[in-house]
Amino acid sequence: DAGVTQSPTHLIKTRGQQVTLRCSPKSGHDTVSWYQQALGQGPQFIFQYYEEEERQRGNFPDRFSGHQFPNYSSELNVNALLLGDSALYLCASSYDRGTEAFFGQGTRLTVV
Amino acid sequence: AQTVTQSQPEMSVQEAETVTLSCTYDTSESNYYLFWYKQPPSRQMILVIRQEAYKQQNATENRFSVNFQKAAKSFSLKISDSQLGDTAMYFCALLNYGQNFVFGPGTRLSVLP
């Protein structure tokens, strides 16, 4: 079992550009959550996808959007990148509202 | 609103010694779970231990144990026989059933040889 996989591992973008991050959940999991972890801080919840719908959303602007595909994989899109979007983006998968979540290794996004 | 506080930004411990990391939380829910996650330089969050709020017995996983004080909303992690591989960021997290994780700011633990 490959666990939760995220791609790419590192990414550098210019302010104002758009970025797409990808996540494949652990086998058997149908729920994907995304978190933003700024340097030196704890992860902050962005949103959660279940059955291809956004089920919950944290306090993030509409520039942050997502998608879940029929195979349960997910994408996080960020438009009009700001310097403050530089962070580690973590994906976590679980089964429905289960309390056992597995995290990927994250995508390090740097906005210059 | 749910909050998690970790008052120790950094801690260090000698190899083979015992260290305790502190965490306090706040929630109005009755059905919730508490977790300690470890994040080494590889960045991946690794589950260390979890506690169901409805269970009075403190959780234990090998060298890791918790002191769960529900009335005080306190959830500390004790690491016994510390090993060099325990060096990492440690995050306390709260999960209300059916909702998302709320993480604390983390404690950076260094195990010294």
Side-chain angles (χ1 to χ4, degrees), chain B residues 20-27 29-36 49-60 64-78 92-96:
Chain B
T20 298
L21 308 183
S22 301
C23 171
T24 57
Y25 64 93
D26 191 23
T27 179
E29 303 287 336
S30 58
N31 187 9
Y32 60 91
Y33 302 78
L34 294 161
F35 303 79
W36 279 98
I49 199 166
R50 59 176 271 166
Q51 173 81 41
E52 292 86 348
Y54 61 85
K55 290 187 177 180
Q56 292 186 338
Q57 185 173 2
N58 289 323
T60 299
F64 300 89
S65 62
V66 298
N67 184 4
F68 175 44
Q69 300 291 326
K70 191 172 183 178
K73 295 185 176 177
S74 170
F75 183 62
S76 61
L77 173 70
K78 185 171 80 171
C92 179
L94 165 69
L95 178 67
N96 290 312

Side-chain angles (χ1 to χ4, degrees), chain A residues 5-16:
Chain A
T5 58
Q6 292 186 242
S7 63
T9 55
H10 295 85
L11 201 53
I12 300 175
K13 288 288 189 178
T14 302
R15 189 172 47 184

Side-chain angles (χ1 to χ4, degrees), chain A residues 35 37 56 97 99 103 106, chain B residues 39 43-44 50 91 98 101:
Chain A
Y35 292 82
Q37 185 178 14
Q56 297 177 46
R97 296 181 186 274
T99 59
F103 285 82
Chain B
Q39 188 178 42
R43 309 181 322 203
Q44 186 158 14
R50 59 176 271 166
F91 292 97
F101 283 97

